Amino acid sequence: MALKGQNRKRIIIAEIKDRSAHSHMQEFKLEKNEFIELNDLMKITGMCESGGMAKAMIADGKVMIDGKVELRRRCKLRAGQIVTVGDREVQVV
């Protein structure tokens, strides 16, 4: 059933607000490589200050990939995946 009038406008406005909630989304472009390791991505994008900090955050279960907790620090990330740490998100493109 298609929505009409005010109901459709409300849904469209809600979708725009949901997208703006992801204002912390950052993109990381894979240049010539097929993948990047999780701990390297975290350092390069500034999600952590050092490799040791990345390792600790991953081990503590504070890092998610595509909405699931990831415990492997050298997990290979490929285009399309989203890494989340707190309120920051990085999409690999």
Side-chain angles (χ1 to χ4, degrees):
M1 182 172 118
L3 297 174
K4 296 181 181 178
Q6 292 295 327
N7 287 334
R8 183 162 193 240
K9 289 179 184 176
R10 286 186 195 130
I11 290 174
I12 291 171
I13 291 169
E15 288 175 357
I16 292 169
K17 287 180 182 175
D18 287 344
R19 288 184 194 139
S20 68
H22 296 290
S23 61
H24 296 285
M25 178 73 77
Q26 179 181 356
E27 288 187 348
F28 176 81
K29 185 174 181 173
L30 292 171
E31 294 296 328
K32 297 178 183 177
N33 299 325
E34 179 182 331
F35 65 87
I36 184 168
E37 292 180 355
L38 176 58
N39 58 336
D40 291 334
L41 177 84
M42 291 177 66
K43 290 185 290 185
I44 291 169
T45 58
M47 295 179 110
C48 63
E49 295 177 14
S50 67
M53 181 181 277
K55 181 179 176 180
M57 291 171 74
I58 295 165
D60 290 344
K62 295 180 179 179
V63 180
M64 296 193 321
I65 298 176
D66 296 331
K68 297 179 184 175
V69 174
E70 180 57 66
L71 299 174
R72 298 172 295 159
R73 69 178 181 174
R74 300 190 84 177
C75 173
K76 295 177 181 175
L77 301 169
R78 292 178 168 77
Q81 292 187 291
I82 298 175
V83 177
T84 307
V85 177
D87 64 347
R88 291 200 51 202
E89 291 185 319
V90 175
Q91 181 173 22
V92 180
V93 292

